[in-house]
Amino acid sequence: MTIYDDAIPAVSKLDPGLLNALRQAATAAADDGVEFYVNSGWRSPEYQEELLREAVFRYGSEEEAARWVATATTSPHVSGDAVDMGNSDATEWLSEHGAEYGLCQIYENEPWHYELRADAIDRGCPRMYADPTQDPRMQQ
């Protein structure tokens, strides 16, 4: 899906500021021949819990799964505050230009995961966490 697919809740339920920043960045990226695709945006709490259960099965423990998937109560996807980009051209473009739009990679182990940090426009993106287990928001 693209960031213009307003009929899809994964896009339409994103935080309006995040969606606006993504669309502005996508317009600039298109000038460089880069298209933005969204693998995952907003998620329902039920879907987030399903992803977490699958991750526990895949990685063998809740502790290891937490490096990749947050709970429904802590996930920025459930609140519409995160987007997982769908191609390496887009993530490469965002790693270079995203801060100009307040779009920052948050986790070193997830180069596809971006969130809005409006102060990044003036200050640059904050230092990344190694993975979600290092993010204080995930400790709730």
Side-chain angles (χ1 to χ4, degrees):
M1 76 191 101
T2 75
I3 60 160
Y4 300 103
D5 288 333
D6 290 329
I8 299 174
V11 174
S12 66
K13 291 188 176 187
L14 286 173
D15 171 80
L18 173 60
L19 186 56
N20 184 53
L22 284 164
R23 288 178 173 172
Q24 288 180 7
T27 298
D31 291 341
D32 293 334
V34 176
E35 292 186 68
F36 281 15
Y37 294 96
V38 175
N39 272 354
S40 186
W42 173 84
R43 299 174 187 157
S44 70
E46 297 79 17
Y47 182 54
Q48 187 68 30
E49 286 301 323
E50 179 183 329
L51 292 174
L52 182 57
R53 283 191 302 275
E54 290 172 2
V56 169
F57 179 78
R58 179 177 181 184
Y59 296 110
S61 71
E62 289 182 11
E63 294 75 23
E64 188 61 23
R67 295 186 61 235
W68 301 99
V69 181
T71 66
T73 57
T74 61
S75 174
H77 285 281
V78 173
S79 61
D81 294 320
V83 64
D84 292 346
M85 300 307 294
N87 64 33
S88 59
D89 288 347
T91 58
E92 185 178 316
W93 191 94
L94 282 169
S95 70
E96 187 174 333
H97 303 284
E100 298 168 34
Y101 304 90
L103 298 169
C104 296
Q105 181 184 342
I106 303 302
Y107 307 118
E108 290 177 3
N109 71 328
E110 295 185 10
W112 54 84
H113 181 99
Y114 280 82
E115 298 180 24
L116 180 64
R117 298 290 185 270
D119 58 349
I121 295 169
D122 296 323
R123 300 181 187 164
C125 289
R127 192 178 123 264
M128 284 184 264
Y129 299 108
D131 62 50
T133 64
Q134 304 300 310
D135 186 341
R137 299 174 302 166
M138 301 302 128
Q139 308 311 314
Q140 299 174 357

